[in-house]
Amino acid sequence: MLHCKNTDFVRNTNNFSLDSGKPYVIFMSWTSLFRKKTVQEIMSQVNKSSEESLGKHLTLKDLISFGIAAIVGAGVFSTIGTASADGGPAVIFLFIFTGIACGFAAFAYAEFASMVPVAGSAYTYSYVAFGELIAWIIGWALIMEYSVGNITLAISWSDYFTRLLATGGLELPQWVQMDYLTASTGFNDAIALMKAGKTFENLPDSMQHAYTAFQTAPQIGSFHFVADLPALLIIILITALVYRGIKESRNASNAMVIVKLAVILLVISVGVFYVDVENFNPFAPNGAAGVLKGVSAVFFAYIGFDAISTTAEECKNPQRDLPRGMMWSIIICTLLYIIIALVLTGMVNYSELAVGDPLAYVFDKLNLKWLSGIIAVSAVIAMASVLLVFQLGQPRIWLSMSRDGLLPSRFSKVHPKFKTPSFATIVTGFVVAVPALFLNLTTVTDLCSIGTLFAFVLVCAGVLVLQDKDIPRGSFKTPFINAKYIASLLLILGVVYAFTINKENTVKFITNAPQVYAPSEIITSLSDAQHEAVGSYIKSQGGAHTDDLELYLKELNFQDAAKYETLVNDLPIDQEQKYESGIQLFKHKIPMWIFFLSLVLTAVWAYRKNLSLIPLLGMVCCFYMMAELSIWNWIYFGIWLVIGLIIYFTFGIKHSKLNKNNG
């Protein structure tokens, strides 16, 4: 990279272009990567050709419906189970926190959507606030959000669809309704637990299904062919609907929202009579750590609201309706999530909810099979509605990036009859369908969450960057509350809390104190000889009255964590199998250390620039949820960004229309 004071020379150097056939050398200043688009440029680009514009058909009611369609889906019918199993009834506080955090971010989205009412969402907003390179990074992150998010939804839809078929008497083979990774991992874990004394019948249902799928799957050599074929089916159908047009998608979405809201209200009305308040004790069985463990699952339930902003160009009155649509959808859905979480954790013990279809499972267990069947039908509809909204969002991101020259021009092709980004929609279908056959739910949920949170952080930061800039504003503006002193005060209060009320956990975090493994992690790491030695030792201590060692240790850990740690410490196995320590433990804390450093820098920034409090809180809350995700999510996301940067520097930077216009 060469730096040059004479930027005219830099911009007019054409001797080293790719078209010349000579080695491609980029002579440009570092600031050239951050060239920004003005609001006027974006609007004129969209309005210059009616052939390239999208059809305007959406009203406020449609936007709220899209928001509810996107938010009330996997969160209610799938991921709420895992989050409740980790946090117990106290998971409602995580829903409240996540709803507030998304509300802060929604203010930032609403302000940008009012200012720049075109397709592209956070990608377009970042082009205005930060410039081309950051816009590309955001666009690339949004590809992860929508594409990977739909992979998750397709897998969840498949779970409910196959359950519905089974209720009707049609049992599909396990190997056509599960991904390879889940089947392979479940098979190995099942073998380890059965060696530890657990019978096959006592394994979790999900593990039994994984074992059966892997065991019965057709084999090609040593490879077991396990693929989620129903997930492929729904993606094909949704892609075809999105391709047909926004009106058709809107009508289908509205109908599906009515059905699933009716069913959710029915579930609440019936379930409340089966609530046993004894199940609320303990309210937070695993403390704050258990509640926060569900960050990825719960946040995934909310990410749909930002998909509304991708339809800005298709709204009749985007500056008025987009902000309202986002806010109302978040408020309505947060209330629904809180009520459903309380009903679920009141009907059965929280520990039973770690299943893929918690609503159907709970009513099935209480012998309300008629309602379980209705839930299965509504879940199939609900998941499809979320798929629809996400599958709408992704092509419109690619459309905007293509309009700017950062992707091939075919991605900005608008169908002459349907007025949809036709080519981008088809490509989105392929990008989602193929991985959905083979990836597992947890992996893709976490990847989708981190990509979305990253976009939220930068959108909130974008509002802060532009707050004192003289640029055209829309009709909506985030209320201004000066965070100059508030940010510093909140930081000080946080430090006081950490070293007083939460002192023990804070000291353990800072000193990187060894952390005992969970029962399932210990048992699945044992060899055959170690299984026998551990079983003999526990029995010699008057322990297990059953051959199921994992169950005994889990119950002991639940009843008395200190006693459990003492027992584990004395087990006749290697120390590395008992405790996670050293660099292996510290690596999981790296995201949180990054977050703590960012808090200090943010407080300084707020003090010096008189930042607005609401987008600042949105940025901090979303960054905190990023920090709660595992280091592996950060690594995978980093790899994804590196791939994106390679594409940008080999294609996008050369074809960028902004660079060409300034050349």
Side-chain angles (χ1 to χ4, degrees), residues 195 523 525-532 577:
K195 286 180 180 179
I523 294 301
S525 72
L526 302 180
S527 64
D528 292 345
Q530 288 175 325
H531 276 298
E532 186 175 343
Q577 292 174 284

Side-chain angles (χ1 to χ4, degrees), residues 62-85:
D62 299 323
L63 293 174
I64 295 175
S65 178
F66 272 140
I68 296 174
I71 299 173
V72 180
V76 166
F77 293 98
S78 181
T79 56
I80 193 174
T82 302
S84 298

Side-chain angles (χ1 to χ4, degrees), residues 180 184 187-188 213-215 217-226:
Y180 178 86
S184 176
F187 178 80
N188 293 329
F214 199 77
Q215 189 83 318
Q219 289 184 241
I220 304 173
S222 60
F223 177 76
H224 295 244
F225 182 81
V226 182

Side-chain angles (χ1 to χ4, degrees), residues 299-340:
F299 177 74
F300 179 77
Y302 279 90
I303 62 177
F305 87 82
D306 73 313
I308 301 174
S309 65
T310 67
T311 65
E313 201 171 313
E314 291 150 291
C315 296
K316 292 181 178 179
N317 190 344
Q319 293 187 323
R320 182 196 68 187
D321 293 342
L322 274 171
R324 295 179 182 180
M326 283 187 270
M327 296 301 177
W328 276 113
S329 60
I330 289 175
I331 293 170
I332 292 170
C333 294
T334 298
L335 292 174
L336 287 175
Y337 278 138
I338 291 172
I339 296 171
I340 291 172

